[in-house]
Amino acid sequence: MKYEIEKTLREIGGDRLARQWQREHEQTPVKRLPTAYLDKLALGYAIALGAMAASIDLVMDQVFRDEMAEIHRDLTDDPQAKKNFEDAAKQKMEELGVSPTKEQKEEIRRKLEEVGVTVDPRSIPDSAMDFYCWLNEKLGLDSPLFPNNHRILNHTDKSTVIKMLMNGEAGIGDLLLELYPKMSEEAAREIYELHIAADRHTSRSLPLKIMSWLWEQGIRAKQPNVVGAPNFLFDLLQKYAPNIEWEKWIETFFGEEGVKKFLVNGEWPEGLSIGDVMLKLYEKGLLNERVFWTSDLGAAVGGIKRRIIIAATMEAGVEVFALVEGLSSGFVTWNNGSQLLASTYLEWRDQPKYLNMRTLAQATAAAGPAVRSLWTGDAFSQNIPSLAMTMRHLWVSSNVRTRHTERLVAFSKNDCALAIAEFESSTGLLIRKPRALIEGGKDMAKTLARRLDSAGCFSTRVAVLATQFPFEMKEIVERIENLATIAEDNNEKLIALGAICETWYLSDITDDTEAIRSLQTDIRKLEQEFGVLDQ
C-alpha cells in the first residue's frame, strides 16, 4: 500500500512530492481503528463470570431444594409439631378476637337453615377457609368434599380468600354467605399465612393454584346460575378438548400406580371432568404443593427467576468491561455530554469481541447445570435463560460483525477523506481518483474486466486493455455486452461472437493502440453481421 501511494504521488508531482509525503508519513502517528480484539484478559473475564454464575446457581439450587423440603415437610409422624402450627393460627385468631364462640357458631347454623342447609354446630370450623361441608348439600356435588380434599376450596387464591376473611364470608364463587366475624386486612393476612403454614405440613399438603382454579371452574360450568359463570378460557378448554382420555394422561405422568388410585371397583370411572380429575389428584396425594415443589421440575420452576437475574447480571458484567475499555481507549468519553456518551458507547459495545464474551459467559454458566444433569439424571436442571441467551447471541453474531465492519469502513473512508482534503489544501495538488472503476449499474460498481467476463468475453488481452484504458474501453465494453445480448439464443451468432471472446484473442498484438483499433474493427464487423449497423 505504501509503495502504491509513493508511485501515485511520484506520477503526480515527481520525487519531491513523494519525499515530502514520506516525511509526513513517518511523523504521523498511526491512528487506531475503533475496534477491540479478543485477548486473554477478556477470555478470562468472561469465563470467570460464567464460572461464578454456574457456582452460585448450583449452590442456590440446593438451598432452594432444602428450603422447599422444610416448608413442605410432612409432620404426620410428628403430631405434636403439627399441632404447634395449628395452635399458632388458633391463638392469633383469639388474640385478634375473630375466633367464633359457641353462640356465634349457633348463629351460623341458624343462618344456614334459612337457606335450606342443615349442619351440626360441631362440624363448623373456626375459620371460614375450612367451612366446606354445607356446600356438599347446597350444590349436590358429584364428587363431595371431605377432610382429605377440602383444601382445594378457598386455600390457594390468596387475594380472594383474604377478601372473604375480611367480609366474614364462606362459600365459593358467587355463592357466599356472611357467617363469620369480620376483620381487618392485616388480621386476615396474618391468619391466612398461619393457616396455610399449618396446612402445608399435613399429609395432603395443599393443592396447586391451577388445580383449585380448574376444580372451581368445573363447579361453575355445572351450576353457573348458582356459583357464577366459568372463565372464558375454561370454556375454550371445554370446547376444544371435550373428550380427553384421562386414563392415558394419568398413566403417562403418574404411571400404573396413579391409574390404580383412580379405579372404582377395578374400573376407570366414566364421565370424569377436568375438575373431578384435579380433585382426585389432590385427594390421592398424586399432585400437590409438596409433590411439585420438592421435585426436579419444581426446583426448575422455582429457580427460573434466579437464573434470569444471574443471566442479566452476566450481561451487565460484560457491559461494564466494554465501558471501561471504551473509556481507556478514548473512543468513549465523559466530556461530550450524556447523549453523545450513550451513542458512542452503544456503537462501541456493538462489536464481535463483546458479543463473544457474552456468549462465552452464558455458555459457561449453562455448562454447570448441564454437567449436573448428566451426573444426576435431572433433565429439568438446565439453565434455560443462559442457554437461550447463548443461542440468541449466536443467532445475531453475523449481523453484529456486518454492522461493525460497515462502521470500520465508514471510519476509514472519513479519515482518508479528511487526510486527502488536508493534503490538497496544504499543497494545492488534487489527487486523482482511480480510473479503473466504472459505474456499471444503479446500485453497485463493476470493473470493466468483470463486465467483460459476465458478457462471455474471456480474452485476457481485452481485459487488460479495459483495465489500463478504462475511458477508451468503456464504449467498447458496452458494445460487446450488446452483441452478447443479441447472440444469447442464436448459436450461429454465438459462434461468430466467440472469435473475439477466446482467451488468446489479440495476444499477438503488443501495441495497445493497434490492439484497440483491431478490436474496434472486429466489433464493427460483428455489429454489421448482427444487423446492429446498416451494411
Side-chain angles (χ1 to χ4, degrees), residues 138-195:
K138 183 66 177 177
L139 298 176
L141 299 178
D142 297 331
S143 299
L145 296 174
F146 295 111
N148 63 345
N149 65 12
H150 77 276
R151 294 186 185 90
I152 203 165
L153 169 70
N154 294 336
H155 276 71
T156 59
D157 190 350
K158 184 175 180 179
S159 60
T160 300
V161 175
I162 288 176
K163 184 178 178 181
M164 289 174 57
L165 291 175
M166 291 171 60
N167 296 330
E169 296 171 333
I172 178 175
D174 296 341
L175 180 58
L176 296 173
L177 295 178
E178 188 177 321
L179 303 174
Y180 283 81
K182 294 184 179 182
M183 63 185 76
S184 66
E185 181 179 354
E186 182 180 357
R189 290 185 180 278
E190 286 189 68
I191 292 171
Y192 175 83
E193 296 295 345
L194 290 170
H195 192 108

Side-chain angles (χ1 to χ4, degrees), residues 100 105 108 121-133 180:
K105 287 185 177 182
I108 292 174
R122 293 175 299 178
S123 67
I124 299 176
D126 292 339
S127 173
M129 293 171 64
D130 290 329
F131 198 14
Y132 65 89
C133 58
Y180 283 81

Side-chain angles (χ1 to χ4, degrees), residues 78-223:
D78 190 358
Q80 184 58 49
K82 181 175 148 185
K83 183 176 181 299
N84 293 339
F85 281 98
E86 294 173 356
D87 289 346
K90 185 176 181 179
Q91 183 179 352
K92 177 58 67 173
M93 291 181 67
E94 291 175 351
E95 290 177 3
L96 297 172
V98 293
S99 180
T101 62
K102 291 182 179 180
E103 291 77 12
Q104 289 174 322
K105 287 185 177 182
E106 181 64 28
E107 180 64 23
I108 292 174
R109 184 189 66 79
R110 286 196 296 269
K111 288 182 179 180
L112 290 173
E113 285 183 348
E114 292 176 2
V115 295
V117 178
T118 302
V119 297
D120 186 343
R122 293 175 299 178
S123 67
I124 299 176
D126 292 339
S127 173
M129 293 171 64
D130 290 329
F131 198 14
Y132 65 89
C133 58
W134 70 283
L135 293 175
N136 289 333
E137 180 180 348
K138 183 66 177 177
L139 298 176
L141 299 178
D142 297 331
S143 299
L145 296 174
F146 295 111
N148 63 345
N149 65 12
H150 77 276
R151 294 186 185 90
I152 203 165
L153 169 70
N154 294 336
H155 276 71
T156 59
D157 190 350
K158 184 175 180 179
S159 60
T160 300
V161 175
I162 288 176
K163 184 178 178 181
M164 289 174 57
L165 291 175
M166 291 171 60
N167 296 330
E169 296 171 333
I172 178 175
D174 296 341
L175 180 58
L176 296 173
L177 295 178
E178 188 177 321
L179 303 174
Y180 283 81
K182 294 184 179 182
M183 63 185 76
S184 66
E185 181 179 354
E186 182 180 357
R189 290 185 180 278
E190 286 189 68
I191 292 171
Y192 175 83
E193 296 295 345
L194 290 170
H195 192 108
I196 292 300
D199 287 344
R200 284 198 176 107
H201 294 290
T202 60
S203 60
R204 292 293 184 271
S205 184
L206 289 167
L208 296 173
K209 188 172 183 178
I210 185 62
M211 297 172 68
S212 293
W213 185 82
L214 289 171
W215 174 81
E216 180 179 332
Q217 296 305 312
I219 300 298
R220 288 173 177 266
K222 291 178 181 178
Q223 303 189 51

Side-chain angles (χ1 to χ4, degrees), residues 6-80:
E6 288 183 354
K7 180 181 177 182
T8 302
L9 291 176
R10 191 171 284 108
E11 291 175 355
I12 296 173
D15 293 339
R16 180 181 177 184
L17 181 61
R19 286 194 298 272
Q20 181 181 351
W21 175 84
Q22 179 67 28
R23 288 193 299 270
E24 293 288 339
H25 176 72
E26 292 175 354
Q27 296 173 2
T28 302
V30 177
K31 183 171 290 187
R32 178 183 171 187
L33 287 171
T35 188
Y37 302 98
L38 201 61
D39 51 18
K40 294 180 179 179
L41 175 62
L43 288 173
Y45 182 83
I47 293 174
L49 270 182
M52 285 191 295
S55 301
I56 292 172
D57 180 64
L58 291 173
V59 172
M60 294 301 294
D61 179 74
Q62 190 58 48
V63 170
F64 178 83
R65 291 172 185 266
D66 294 341
E67 183 182 1
M68 290 298 102
E70 178 61 27
I71 290 175
H72 298 281
R73 183 161 53 101
D74 186 357
L75 295 178
T76 303
D77 296 329
D78 190 358
Q80 184 58 49

Side-chain angles (χ1 to χ4, degrees), residues 516-530:
I516 292 175
R517 188 182 303 113
S518 178
L519 175 61
Q520 289 174 327
T521 301
D522 291 339
I523 290 176
R524 182 172 180 82
K525 290 179 180 179
L526 287 172
E527 288 175 337
Q528 291 175 346
E529 183 179 341
F530 287 6

